[in-house]
Amino acid sequence: MFYCPETINNPYSLYRVSPMTSYFRVLHSSPKSPAVDVYINDMLKFRNLTYGAFTDYIEVVTGDYNVKLYAAGTKTSPVLDKNIFVPPEKIYTVAAIGILPNIDLLLVLEPRIINPSDKVYIKFAHLSPNAGAVDIALPDGKILFRNIKYKQFTDYIEVPAGTYTLEVRPTGTTTIALYVPNIRLKPQRFYTVYAVGLANDRPGLQALIPLDGSSYLDFDNN
């Protein structure tokens, strides 16, 4: 477990009670940026995080955290230095977004659902800095998510388990900006479809579809 060392930001440390904890992982989705080392409260937590990659989740006590990203193998001038607040009993993906020198952090919430059904839970996050608003559709034309803009993310929706093909389309059109075939979605699992990369540039648009923490992280013992 990784704790914030500054007790002034951690009121639970003043009392003899079990601290409320949360989880977060870091996603490198800043196109054209180098691989980075991730420091949290000036402690090196993850080395050489490359573009398009996720860290493991870490468990943290609710409170304030400083996140610094340095070009991998260096520790002189961070490419990002930002404070975040993590509320209790939440799960986040902390995404590094934007293009140098304008990199930022976006906290993408992964809502917890108690007693999930046998279906799949899926949501969408738009992290492409130069792409306009998009719809996420199935090949038959059914729209799952509509008019999602850069830095926006949806809530989970339920769909039957199975293999899916998704089409990312500029909002209101049938033009396919990103085609994502053969996605196998398992029951009682949580997924986020992250659209990353650049439209009409390199690195190009792509979808990252990790298994979200709600699929397996446990709060019962906290």
Side-chain angles (χ1 to χ4, degrees):
M1 181 180 295
F2 176 76
Y3 289 102
C4 174
E6 297 179 297
T7 57
I8 191 171
N9 292 326
N10 178 15
Y12 300 100
S13 66
L14 304 179
Y15 304 93
R16 292 188 177 182
V17 298
S18 298
M20 290 186 177
T21 62
S22 291
Y23 295 90
F24 71 81
R25 63 183 171 187
V26 180
L27 162 63
H28 184 338
S29 60
S30 173
K32 300 183 183 292
S33 294
V36 295
D37 293 336
V38 180
Y39 285 76
I40 299 174
N41 289 352
D42 291 318
M43 296 173 59
L44 177 61
K45 294 301 295 182
F46 301 103
R47 296 181 186 271
N48 198 35
L49 181 64
T50 57
Y51 170 71
F54 294 80
T55 68
D56 293 331
Y57 288 93
I58 57 173
E59 186 178 2
V60 296
V61 173
T62 184
D64 297 295
Y65 291 86
N66 174 259
V67 179
K68 291 186 179 74
L69 305 181
Y70 294 89
T74 73
K75 199 184 176 185
T76 51
S77 299
V79 297
L80 181 142
D81 181 351
K82 186 166 182 176
N83 296 320
I84 62 173
F85 174 74
V86 180
E89 298 186 314
K90 302 292 184 184
I91 304 172
Y92 288 98
T93 290
V94 179
I97 62 170
I99 301 175
L100 280 170
N102 300 311
I103 299 182
D104 200 0
L105 292 180
L106 179 69
L107 273 65
V108 180
L109 179 65
E110 299 168 16
R112 298 170 60 207
I113 296 176
I114 307 301
N115 299 320
S117 72
D118 287 334
K119 292 188 175 182
V120 174
Y121 292 82
I122 188 169
K123 63 186 182 71
F124 176 76
H126 186 334
L127 305 186
S128 171
N130 75 336
V134 295
D135 298 334
I136 312 303
L138 301 177
D140 65 5
K142 180 180 179 180
I143 296 178
L144 301 180
F145 306 105
R146 190 184 301 272
N147 195 30
I148 310 302
K149 301 176 178 65
Y150 174 53
K151 297 196 286 189
Q152 290 184 336
F153 52 91
T154 70
D155 291 328
Y156 288 114
I157 61 170
E158 292 184 36
V159 298
T163 300
Y164 287 81
T165 292
L166 298 180
E167 297 176 355
V168 180
R169 307 171 176 177
T171 292
T173 77
T174 57
T175 302
I176 301 175
L178 178 61
Y179 181 75
V180 191
N182 301 320
I183 308 165
R184 185 183 178 192
L185 302 178
K186 297 182 179 181
Q188 291 190 315
R189 299 291 189 273
F190 295 77
Y191 302 89
T192 300
V193 179
Y194 290 90
V196 302
L198 299 171
N200 303 312
D201 200 351
R202 293 180 181 274
L205 292 175
Q206 68 178 108
L208 309 175
I209 312 175
L211 190 64
D212 286 347
S214 292
S215 303
Y216 55 89
L217 294 174
D218 184 10
F219 284 84
D220 293 341
N221 295 321
N222 290 340

